[in-house]
Amino acid sequence: MAGEAVKLLGMWASPFSLRVRWVLHLKEIEYEYVEEDLQNKSPRLLQYNPVYKKIPVLLHGEKNIAESLVIIEYLDEVWKNNPILPEDPYERAMARFWAKYADEKCFPAIFGAFAKTGEDQEKCIKEGQECLKVLEGALHGKKFFGGETIGLVDIAVGLYGYWIPLVEETVGIKIIEDSNLPLLTTWFQDFLALEVVKEILPPRENLISVLKALRTKLGAVPV
């Protein structure tokens, strides 16, 4: 099963594609990467993810798996080396809890801070800071969310360490204050310093250009 061909449909600027690629590289899985144009979605993308019609999509032999966290867990089940989920059932459940919390609570608030203006933006900034503070609580006494090595939550949340500073620079706001989130700030530095993480980070200036264009498209700044 693990020997079947692996292909990833993704988009270079997508943090959700990146988290899947981190796991592929962490587990040293050979794969073909296929860049998708999200403004002109390919028949292949629509065929393999007809429900959500978005990336990332993993193709493994004849099987297709969508949604980044689902893909990550699938990879961890099939390729046993360098596991990212704990063996203990309770710890595994907690890892899933925090990964879901990050996606469902933290990300919408951070995206709102990027996409909105005025009072709505201020509200999202506050919500994002509160969510990140709660998330930081899962780091107490540990170097990584996974302990001494990175795990599911690190992979799921790692995108914040790279994207939030770019959002702050693009929009002219401040979401993360070192004094208010000291553990998370240190964790960002440690995580982004890992070779398997930094070797496939998208170019910073290219991402800023994408963010500026997206913010204009969303109507948050004058065209």
Side-chain angles (χ1 to χ4, degrees):
M1 183 179 181
E4 295 176 297
V6 177
K7 186 178 295 186
L8 178 67
L9 310 184
M11 188 268 183
W12 71 270
S14 164
F16 301 103
S17 292
L18 182 63
R19 57 165 55 154
V20 174
R21 294 189 70 194
W22 279 334
V23 176
L24 287 165
H25 285 244
L26 180 67
K27 289 180 171 289
E28 301 178 336
I29 301 169
E30 292 188 9
Y31 70 101
E32 177 187 351
Y33 175 72
V34 180
E35 181 73 13
E36 285 285 338
D37 179 1
L38 301 186
Q39 303 304 313
N40 184 27
K41 297 178 182 179
S42 70
R44 175 170 44 194
L45 175 59
L46 300 178
Q47 173 189 353
Y48 290 120
N49 190 2
V51 177
Y52 292 109
K53 300 179 175 63
K54 62 183 182 180
I55 50 92
V57 178
L58 184 82
L59 306 179
H60 182 206
E62 299 298 318
K63 297 175 285 292
N64 52 293
I65 305 100
E67 294 297 288
S68 60
L69 290 181
V70 177
I71 294 171
I72 289 170
E73 288 209 39
Y74 175 82
L75 293 172
D76 203 45
E77 288 286 340
V78 178
W79 283 267
K80 303 297 185 182
N81 60 310
N82 299 326
I84 59 171
L85 276 165
E87 290 186 15
D88 180 78
Y90 175 75
E91 292 181 3
R92 192 159 58 243
M94 288 298 96
R96 288 173 173 142
F97 171 86
W98 286 115
K100 186 175 181 181
Y101 176 85
D103 272 11
E104 295 185 357
K105 296 291 288 185
C106 299
F107 185 81
I110 293 166
F111 186 79
F114 165 75
K116 297 179 180 180
T117 58
E119 292 183 3
D120 289 339
Q121 183 185 65
E122 289 298 322
K123 180 181 178 182
C124 287
I125 292 173
K126 184 177 179 180
E127 288 178 358
Q129 291 170 336
E130 290 172 352
C131 289
L132 291 171
K133 190 65 178 178
V134 172
L135 181 65
E136 186 183 57
L139 263 177
H140 281 295
K142 296 185 289 186
K143 180 177 182 180
F144 297 108
F145 286 97
E148 288 302 308
T149 57
I150 61 174
L152 174 66
V153 183
D154 300 278
I155 296 293
V157 182
L159 58 94
Y160 299 145
Y162 196 59
W163 262 260
I164 289 179
L166 299 184
V167 166
E168 292 175 333
E169 180 178 337
T170 302
V171 182
I173 58 175
K174 195 66 178 174
I175 299 172
I176 294 182
E177 300 284 353
D178 295 357
S179 58
N180 294 335
L181 295 165
L183 297 180
L184 205 58
T185 300
T186 300
W187 172 80
F188 283 147
Q189 296 169 354
D190 291 338
F191 180 79
L192 294 175
L194 296 171
E195 195 62 37
V196 71
V197 170
K198 66 183 181 181
E199 68 181 0
I200 52 174
L201 286 173
R204 184 177 180 279
E205 291 305 317
N206 292 5
L207 270 180
I208 288 179
S209 296
V210 169
L211 289 172
K212 287 180 178 178
L214 177 59
R215 188 162 157 81
T216 299
K217 183 178 179 181
L218 292 170
V221 294
V223 177

